[in-house]
Amino acid sequence: GQQVMQIPQYQHVQEGEDFTTYCNSSTTLSNIQWYKQRPGGHPVFLIQLVKSGEVKKQKRLTFQFGEAKKNSSLHITATQTTDVGTYFCASGGSYIPTFGRGTSLIVHP
Amino acid sequence: GAVVSQHPSRVICKSGTSVKIECRSLDFQATTMFWYRQFPKQSLMLMATSNEGSKATYEQGVEKDKFLINHASLTLSTLTVTSAHPEDSSFYICSARPDSGLNTEAFFGQGTRLTVV
């Protein structure tokens, strides 16, 4: 499958600071999806990106798909305590969809 | 967009019993579906690839007799956890790949949280 490497594994921020997690692949991805998992909860689908250079926004969240479709990022502006959780990227292309290891966001009030 | 429905979203069962989880593609046919499991504080790991009309392909370390997969139609795959034990408690998620068209990306279900007591 298309392996996706996700960094960082953990990120501590003060409330109000921005946060970014990155997914990278050595091969071209046909699409990438992002999920959020709250502590004790299950992954919840956030968005799917398909087009090269695509940028989508959901309130304070900005999702980008690289021009070469080999990387993607999720950026949160002015984090809030409700943003706490683990963010996973997943590639559904090629043969076997695979998940990144996830980035756990910890927001300190 | 394409939708994959997974049911139930949450289930609690007693040790020794079996639990069936369904994964349905609602508006497309999928010869191939995938089942994942998530351990606490870890990512989602592929358990098996489900193929309609043939036997599932299991990843190394996954017990075939414990995790029975049946892909009886082009829109439905089921995962049955047999003789469940507390260590089987986990989050299970499926994904399905549309057969038709040039777009071959997979879509994920919402997941099932299994608790074995």
Side-chain angles (χ1 to χ4, degrees):
Chain A
Q2 294 179 317
Q3 300 295 325
V4 287
M5 304 299 293
Q6 190 172 357
I7 56 170
Q9 186 174 359
Y10 299 96
Q11 184 74 56
H12 290 256
V13 299
Q14 290 294 130
E15 189 172 17
E17 292 182 337
D18 293 354
F19 159 79
T20 305
T21 173
Y22 302 89
C23 267
N24 300 298
S25 172
S26 58
T27 59
T28 302
L29 304 171
S30 59
N31 72 80
I32 196 154
Q33 299 171 343
W34 286 93
Y35 294 77
K36 176 184 179 181
Q37 183 174 26
R38 294 180 183 274
H42 63 82
V44 174
F45 175 80
L46 294 177
I47 209 162
Q48 176 172 280
L49 304 173
V50 179
K51 299 177 181 178
S52 168
E54 188 170 17
V55 178
K56 289 188 177 180
K57 292 189 176 184
Q58 292 179 351
K59 297 183 179 179
R60 294 178 294 104
L61 276 62
T62 302
F63 304 85
Q64 290 187 314
F65 202 8
E67 293 288 344
K69 300 181 75 173
K70 290 185 176 182
N71 56 73
S72 180
S73 65
L74 158 59
H75 179 83
I76 302 178
T77 304
T79 55
Q80 300 175 359
T81 54
T82 53
D83 295 326
V84 166
T86 301
Y87 294 84
F88 292 98
C89 60
S91 169
S94 186
Y95 182 56
I96 300 176
T98 55
F99 285 85
R101 67 186 303 178
T103 297
S104 293
L105 172 63
I106 301 99
V107 180
H108 299 279
Chain B
V3 176
V4 172
S5 174
Q6 189 172 337
H7 177 81
S9 59
R10 190 182 294 268
V11 59
I12 300 173
C13 71
K14 293 183 178 181
S15 289
T17 62
S18 296
V19 174
K20 179 185 286 188
I21 303 170
E22 294 186 347
C23 181
R24 292 182 185 273
S25 55
L26 297 186
D27 52 4
F28 63 91
Q29 293 184 331
T31 300
T32 305
M33 294 187 179
F34 307 93
W35 289 95
Y36 299 81
R37 175 175 180 173
Q38 184 180 34
F39 291 97
K41 299 184 179 181
Q42 294 189 29
S43 188
L44 293 92
M45 304 304 294
L46 181 68
M47 296 175 66
T49 301
S50 172
N51 302 295
E52 188 271 337
S54 64
K55 292 182 178 180
T57 303
Y58 290 82
E59 295 299 298
Q60 189 173 6
V62 179
E63 299 177 56
K64 301 179 182 181
D65 294 333
K66 181 164 187 62
F67 298 100
L68 299 179
I69 291 174
N70 183 24
H71 195 150
S73 77
L74 290 173
T75 59
L76 173 65
S77 175
T78 61
L79 168 66
T80 301
V81 183
T82 63
S83 187
H85 292 286
E87 57 264 31
D88 298 325
S89 298
S90 188
F91 177 77
Y92 296 85
I93 191 169
C94 68
S95 69
R97 176 178 306 287
D99 290 340
S100 61
L102 298 176
N103 219 339
T104 59
E105 58 259 31
F107 300 90
F108 293 92
Q110 293 297 308
T112 298
R113 179 163 294 284
L114 170 64
T115 303
V116 184
V117 297

